[in-house]
């Protein structure tokens, strides 16, 4: 034990130790990461095995789905690694050749901004998939329950659409709200960082 480390009271030690209650949550996210790896392999195999009979639009939708899985997986990595480093315990990766560049200066504010940007990226992929799928929205009727069951049994049989113009509009609006929220978070973080830097500079000037 370091001589400079302060001695905590039993109550303080207990409260501080409660951070380890988050450990099962991060382990659960690792399990979710494994599920996404399995899902990626499944979708990739489906693309390879059916690529000859698929059209360009179907292949594009599956590829966008694979990119979506990768981006969600990246989000999981940021939450697992950054969240554990910030809220539970140090990973002590200093000097490791594979240390993520963003981890060297991660804190709660930086992690929040990065998560917001990752969510925007995921939302962009979903919105792009929707725009591709709405190419024939005006000429294809909405699916009936019978057509939905046929489509579930054999993808591509039911010539109908699950999308509506209002649904696409709301998805676009929600995506714009995500962007505005990320801008607001980044702007607020910049203001707080600027105020903190000014306070530190004033403190140093007062000392001198």
């Amino acid at each position: 034990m370091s001589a400079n480390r302060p001695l905590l009271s039993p109550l303080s030690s207990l409260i501080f130790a409660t951070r380890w209650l988050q450990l099962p949550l991060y382990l659960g996210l690792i399990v979710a990461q494994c599920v996404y790896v399995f899902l990626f392999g499944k979708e990739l195999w489906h693309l390879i095995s059916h690529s000859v009979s698929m059209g360009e639009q179907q292949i594009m939708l599956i590829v966008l789905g694979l990119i979506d899985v990768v981006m969600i997986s990246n989000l999981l990595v940021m939450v697992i690694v950054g969240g554990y480093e910030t809220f539970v315990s140090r990973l002590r990766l200093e000097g490791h050749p594979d240390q993520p560049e963003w981890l060297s200066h991660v804190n709660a504010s930086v992690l929040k901004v990065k998560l917001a940007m990752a969510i925007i990226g995921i939302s962009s992929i979903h919105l792009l998939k929707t725009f591709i799928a709405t190419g024939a929205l005006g000429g294809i009727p909405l699916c009936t329950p019978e057509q939905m069951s046929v489509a579930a049994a054999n993808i591509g049989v039911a010539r109908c659409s699950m999308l509506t113009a209002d649904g696409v509009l709301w998805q676009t609006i929600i995506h714009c709200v995500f962007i505005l929220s990320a801008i607001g978070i980044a702007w607020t973080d910049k203001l707080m960082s600027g105020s903190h830097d000014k306070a530190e500079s004033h403190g140093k000037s007062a000392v001198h």
Side-chain angles (χ1 to χ4, degrees):
M1 182 178 294
S2 175
N4 297 326
R5 182 178 299 176
L7 184 63
L8 299 178
S9 65
L11 180 59
S12 299
S13 299
L14 176 63
I15 293 175
F16 186 56
T18 57
R19 71 191 191 280
W20 290 103
L21 292 175
Q22 295 191 39
L23 180 60
L25 307 182
Y26 291 112
L27 294 178
L29 289 180
I30 294 175
V31 175
Q33 180 89 299
C34 296
V35 173
Y36 266 100
V37 171
F38 173 77
L39 176 62
F40 183 90
K42 180 181 176 181
E43 290 297 320
L44 182 61
W45 173 250
H46 177 73
L47 174 63
I48 295 173
S49 59
H50 295 80
S51 59
V52 178
S53 59
M54 288 181 180
E56 181 182 358
Q57 182 174 349
Q58 289 178 299
I59 293 177
M60 188 181 301
L61 288 173
I62 294 178
V63 171
L64 287 175
L66 293 176
I67 296 174
D68 186 32
V69 171
V70 172
M71 296 189 72
I72 294 177
S73 181
N74 292 340
L75 178 62
L76 283 171
V77 169
M78 280 194 290
V79 173
I80 294 169
V81 179
Y84 184 90
E85 173 87 9
T86 303
F87 301 108
V88 180
S89 181
R90 296 292 182 184
L91 292 172
R92 296 179 176 84
L93 297 177
E94 293 80 4
H96 195 283
D98 295 329
Q99 179 187 4
E101 182 273 334
W102 53 269
L103 191 60
S104 60
H105 53 271
V106 70
N107 54 46
S109 298
V110 173
L111 185 61
K112 184 167 53 178
V113 173
K114 288 188 175 294
L115 292 181
M117 298 303 297
I119 291 173
I120 289 175
I122 295 170
S123 177
S124 300
I125 295 297
H126 280 268
L127 191 59
L128 181 58
K129 289 170 65 177
T130 299
F131 285 155
I132 293 174
T134 55
L137 180 60
I140 297 180
L142 293 177
C143 288
T144 63
E146 293 77 14
Q147 289 173 321
M148 288 177 60
S149 62
V150 174
N154 191 356
I155 298 176
V157 171
R159 299 296 298 169
C160 60
S161 176
M162 292 294 296
L163 300 170
T164 63
D166 289 340
V168 175
L169 176 62
W170 276 109
Q171 188 173 352
T172 305
I173 292 174
I174 292 172
H175 178 70
C176 293
V177 171
F178 284 154
I179 294 176
L180 293 176
S181 299
I183 293 174
I185 291 172
W187 183 64
T188 304
D189 181 63
K190 183 178 180 180
L191 289 179
M192 294 177 63
S193 299
S195 301
H196 181 69
D197 293 340
K198 287 182 180 179
E200 284 188 349
S201 62
H202 286 312
K204 290 179 179 178
S205 300
V207 171
H208 292 299

